Amino acid sequence: MFTRNGALVIISKIKDTLLYFRSLKFYLFLLVVIVGIVPCLFLQFGILGNFEERSVSVLAMDVRTQTEIVANRISNSDYLDNPSSEVISAQLSQLSNIYGGRILVVNSRFEIVQDTYAMSIGKMMVSEEVIRGFHGEEDTHLDSKNGYLEITVPIRNEDASKVVGVMVISASTATISDSLDLLKQKTFVLQIVIVILIIVLALVLSIALVRPLEILTKKLRERFDGYGEEQIHVNTYRETREISEEINAMIDRMQVLDDSRQEFVSNVSHELKTPITSMKVLADSLLMMDNVPIEMYQEFMEDITEEIDRESKIIDDLLSMVKLDKTGAVLNIAQININELLELLMKRLGPIAQKRGIELVLVCERQVIADADEVKLTLALSNFIENAIKYNRDNGWVHVKLDADHKQFTVIVEDCGIGIPREDQAYIFERFYRVDKSHSREIGGTGLGLSIARSTVLLHKGAVEVESEPDVGTKFTIRIPLTYIPN
Ligand SMILES: Nc1ncnc2c1ncn2[C@@H]1O[C@H](COP(=O)(O)OP(=O)(O)OP(=O)(O)O)[C@@H](O)[C@H]1O
Ligand SMILES: [Mg+2]
C-alpha cells in the first residue's frame, strides 16, 4: 500500500538527491560537458548541413552547364520540330546516364519531344517550372524526399532573342546522400569518442578542481572536532589560501576570546572568593575562641560587614558590566547638561575628598549640552574622579576641567596622586586589573571601574587617554562627540 508516510519518505529522498546535485562539483561537470558537447552538435548540424548544401549546388551547376551545351546544340538544329537527330538524342541519353536521371525536352507548344525514359513522348507538359522556363527563368528544385534535383533550362533560338523550348532534367542526388551517410557514420563514431572523452575529462576536472575545497572542509571539521591544533593551510588556489588565512585569523580571534573569557571567569571567581575567605577566617577565629569579649565580637563583625560590602560592590560592578555588554548598543540618549552633571558629581564626592583633605576643583570653560546616556555617563565620570581621590596623597588636589569645541566636549580629570607606572598604563582598562594589588586592596575597589568607564565612553563614540607619572600624578582626558550618531 502506498501510504502518506511512504510518499513523504520518497519526497525527502528526492530532495536529498537534488541537494546532492546542487554542488560545485556537479555544476563544474555540467559546464565542461556542455562546453564540450556544443562543438559536437555544431559539427553535426553545421558542418554536415553545409556539406549537403554545397554538394547539391556543385551538382546543380555541373548539370546546368552540361545541359546548356546540349540546349545550344538543340537551338542550332530543328530538333524541337523534328527530334530525329541521333547525335543530340545520344548526348541526351548520355547526360541522363551520367546524372542517373531523366531528361525531358519540351517545345513551344508544350509538347514533350524527347524523354530519355521514352515514356511521355508526345504528351503535353504544362507545369509551373516549364512556364517559367518559357519566360527565360532557370529553376533549381531539390526533392530531398525522393533524392532528386530538378532543373529547368530554357532553350533559346540562335540569336537568343526568344525561348523556343525548355529542358527539364532530374538528376539523382544518391551519390551525395551516400557520401553524406558515410560522413555521418564517421562523425557519429567520432562524436561518441569525443563525448566519452568529454565526460571523463569533466569528471576528472570537477573532482580535481573541487578537491582543495573538500580538503579545506575536512581540515576544518578535524580542527573543530578537537583533533589537530595546527593552522589550516590549503594553498592550492589563491582563493583557498585566502579562505584558510581568514579561518586561521578567525580561530585565533576565537582563541583569544576564549582565553579572555576563561581568565575573566577565574578572575571573577577569585574576586568573589576573597571576601568570603576573609569572612570565614574572621568567623572561624571567633568560634574557636572561648569567652570572647564583646569588643572583639564588635570589631570582627565590623570587618565582616566591610567584606560583605566589598562583595556586594563586586557583584554590582559585575552586573553593570554585563548590562553594558548586553545592552551596549542601546544607549538611552538625551540632551544632557554636562556642567550640571559634573557639579552634582563633585558635590557627591566632596565628603570623601574632604576626609583626606583633598582639594576638589571643577573648572567649566563653557556651557556644554551634549547627547549622552545620563546614568551611564555619570557612572563613568564618577569613577575617574573617584580614582583621582582614591589614588591620591593626603591633602592633595583633584582638578576637573570641562571644555568643548564645535564637535566634541572634553573632561580632564587630573590629580597629584601616586600615579601609574608606564608599564601598567596599557592594562588599567582591563577588567580586574589593579596596579598595586596590596595597596589597592587597602583602598578598596574591584578593578572593574575603568573597564566599565571606558566601555561607556566608547559606546558614546568617544575616547579616553591617560598620562601619568608615578608620584607626580595622573591625567585622564575623556573626549565625547556633542551629537550622537547611531550606527
Ligand atoms: N587616578 C589614578 N591614579 C593612580 N592609579 C590609578 C588611577 N586611576 C586608576 N588607577 C589604577 O588603575 C586601577 C584600575 O582602576 P579601576 O577604576 O578600574 O579599579 P579600582 O578603582 O581599583 O576599582 P573600582 O572597580 O572600585 O573602580 C586601579 O586599581 C589603580 O591601580
Ligand atoms: Mg575605580
Side-chain angles (χ1 to χ4, degrees):
M1 231 353 239
F2 197 66
T3 59
R4 201 179 115 80
N5 272 353
L8 286 178
V9 169
I10 290 173
I11 289 174
S12 87
K13 281 251 157 63
I14 292 173
K15 271 189 186 164
D16 283 354
T17 321
L18 286 180
L19 219 62
Y20 174 78
F21 282 116
R22 263 174 56 187
S23 68
L24 191 60
K25 211 192 261 178
F26 178 70
Y27 288 139
L28 266 173
F29 174 78
L30 214 62
L31 183 77
V32 178
V33 168
I34 290 171
V35 168
I37 282 180
V38 165
C40 275
L41 292 178
F42 176 72
L43 191 77
Q44 167 90 37
F45 295 108
I47 296 183
L48 291 186
N50 216 321
F51 171 80
E52 191 179 13
E53 215 173 89
R54 255 203 77 66
S55 307
V56 167
S57 83
V58 167
L59 177 69
M61 218 151 73
D62 196 27
V63 171
R64 193 170 295 126
T65 320
Q66 295 299 327
T67 313
E68 273 165 4
I69 293 171
V70 183
N72 271 340
R73 278 259 164 88
I74 292 173
S75 74
N76 288 338
S77 66
D78 62 346
Y79 192 78
L80 289 173
D81 296 320
N82 178 20
S84 58
S85 164
E86 294 280 322
V87 183
I88 293 177
S89 296
Q91 265 183 349
L92 286 173
S93 59
Q94 197 185 358
L95 262 189
S96 150
N97 283 340
I98 291 173
Y99 296 115
R102 183 180 187 182
I103 302 179
L104 300 171
V105 181
V106 182
N107 69 13
S108 54
R109 293 183 298 279
F110 295 99
E111 274 171 14
I112 300 175
V113 293
Q114 181 58 286
D115 175 5
T116 51
Y117 282 12
M119 280 155 57
S120 309
I121 296 176
K123 287 185 186 164
M124 299 289 284
M125 184 174 187
V126 195
S127 69
E128 199 189 324
E129 291 82 29
V130 172
I131 294 171
R132 272 205 256 124
F134 276 109
H135 280 103
E137 285 174 31
E138 291 192 345
D139 195 76
T140 308
H141 169 72
L142 176 68
D143 179 356
S144 38
K145 204 171 128 203
N146 297 314
Y148 274 97
L149 185 66
E150 259 187 30
I151 297 174
T152 15
V153 175
I155 307 168
R156 295 171 194 276
N157 60 1
E158 268 175 89
D159 60 359
S161 59
K162 199 176 153 208
V163 179
V164 289
V166 168
M167 283 175 77
V168 181
I169 309 101
S170 51
S172 163
T173 53
T175 44
I176 295 177
S177 312
D178 288 350
S179 1
L180 201 66
D181 283 348
L182 196 72
L183 210 63
K184 270 184 185 162
Q185 268 174 22
K186 285 195 173 158
T187 48
F188 181 69
V189 174
L190 195 71
Q191 274 174 341
I192 298 264
V193 173
I194 290 176
V195 166
I196 291 174
L197 278 179
I198 286 169
I199 289 179
V200 172
L201 183 77
L203 268 175
V204 171
L205 264 183
S206 62
I207 290 173
L209 287 176
V210 176
R211 184 95 189 106
L213 288 180
E214 286 174 346
I215 294 175
L216 194 66
T217 317
K218 190 172 150 246
K219 287 200 171 177
L220 257 179
R221 202 169 291 142
E222 276 174 9
R223 181 77 210 250
F224 286 118
D225 281 352
Y227 344 106
E229 279 290 298
E230 80 275 19
Q231 298 230 315
I232 292 170
H233 293 292
V234 182
N235 295 339
T236 326
Y237 308 129
R238 186 163 54 87
E239 286 80 1
T240 50
R241 196 187 63 226
E242 282 171 5
I243 293 175
S244 309
E245 280 165 7
E246 286 301 319
I247 288 172
N248 285 334
M250 196 183 78
I251 291 175
D252 286 348
R253 274 202 299 276
M254 279 164 64
Q255 195 74 52
V256 169
L257 269 179
D258 198 44
D259 288 351
S260 76
R261 188 184 55 86
Q262 274 178 15
E263 193 188 312
F264 177 69
V265 170
S266 88
N267 280 341
V268 169
S269 328
H270 176 77
E271 294 296 323
L272 288 176
K273 236 183 130 197
T274 319
I276 290 179
T277 317
S278 310
M279 285 188 265
K280 170 104 172 112
V281 171
L282 289 166
D284 276 352
S285 40
L286 273 185
L287 282 175
M288 268 161 27
M289 283 189 271
D290 296 327
N291 301 323
V292 187
I294 182 92
E295 294 79 20
M296 194 174 244
Y297 256 114
Q298 263 170 352
E299 200 191 317
F300 275 40
M301 282 319 266
E302 271 167 23
D303 289 350
I304 289 180
T305 319
E306 251 175 47
E307 292 300 331
I308 290 175
D309 286 347
R310 206 171 121 70
E311 182 92 38
S312 106
K313 174 156 178 359
I314 297 175
I315 291 170
D316 282 350
D317 280 358
L318 274 174
L319 284 178
S320 58
M321 198 184 67
V322 171
K323 235 174 157 180
L324 259 190
D325 279 354
K326 223 166 67 183
T327 59
V330 198
L331 280 180
N332 208 350
I333 295 288
Q335 290 252 298
I336 308 294
N337 186 324
I338 307 293
N339 305 61
E340 281 173 16
L341 189 149
L342 283 174
E343 275 157 24
L344 200 79
L345 268 181
M346 300 302 262
K347 213 185 265 173
R348 219 188 280 163
L349 295 171
I352 313 173
Q354 254 171 19
K355 256 193 218 165
R356 296 178 57 205
I358 294 170
E359 181 196 27
L360 201 53
V361 184
L362 170 66
V363 180
C364 292
E365 297 288 344
R366 62 193 74 235
Q367 280 291 316
V368 179
I369 310 275
D371 289 347
D373 182 320
E374 189 170 8
V375 178
K376 291 194 175 100
L377 191 64
T378 309
L379 197 75
L381 291 177
S382 128
N383 183 62
F384 286 110
I385 304 171
E386 207 185 303
N387 280 353
I389 300 169
K390 273 202 307 193
Y391 304 104
N392 213 320
R393 56 180 166 79
D394 287 344
N395 307 315
W397 50 259
V398 173
H399 290 172
V400 181
K401 194 173 134 192
L402 171 66
D403 200 354
D405 56 21
H406 62 289
K407 269 162 103 178
Q408 58 185 8
F409 70 91
T410 314
V411 178
I412 297 173
V413 181
E414 202 170 355
D415 64 60
C416 61
I418 60 171
I420 307 163
R422 181 156 290 278
E423 63 272 19
D424 290 299
Q425 286 176 17
Y427 301 106
I428 51 169
F429 295 104
E430 278 179 20
R431 293 163 177 183
F432 296 116
Y433 194 85
R434 312 191 73 196
V435 176
D436 177 351
K437 304 268 183 280
S438 56
H439 188 162
S440 303
R441 190 159 163 69
E442 263 167 51
I443 296 173
T446 60
L448 285 173
L450 277 183
S451 154
I452 295 173
R454 196 177 70 140
S455 298
T456 307
V457 175
L458 291 185
L459 273 180
H460 282 82
K461 313 224 186 297
V464 185
E465 249 172 54
V466 59
E467 290 162 56
S468 183
E469 207 172 307
D471 298 324
V472 177
T474 307
K475 180 176 165 188
F476 280 99
T477 309
I478 302 118
R479 291 196 179 84
I480 294 179
L482 292 173
T483 30
Y484 177 78
I485 301 160
N487 291 332

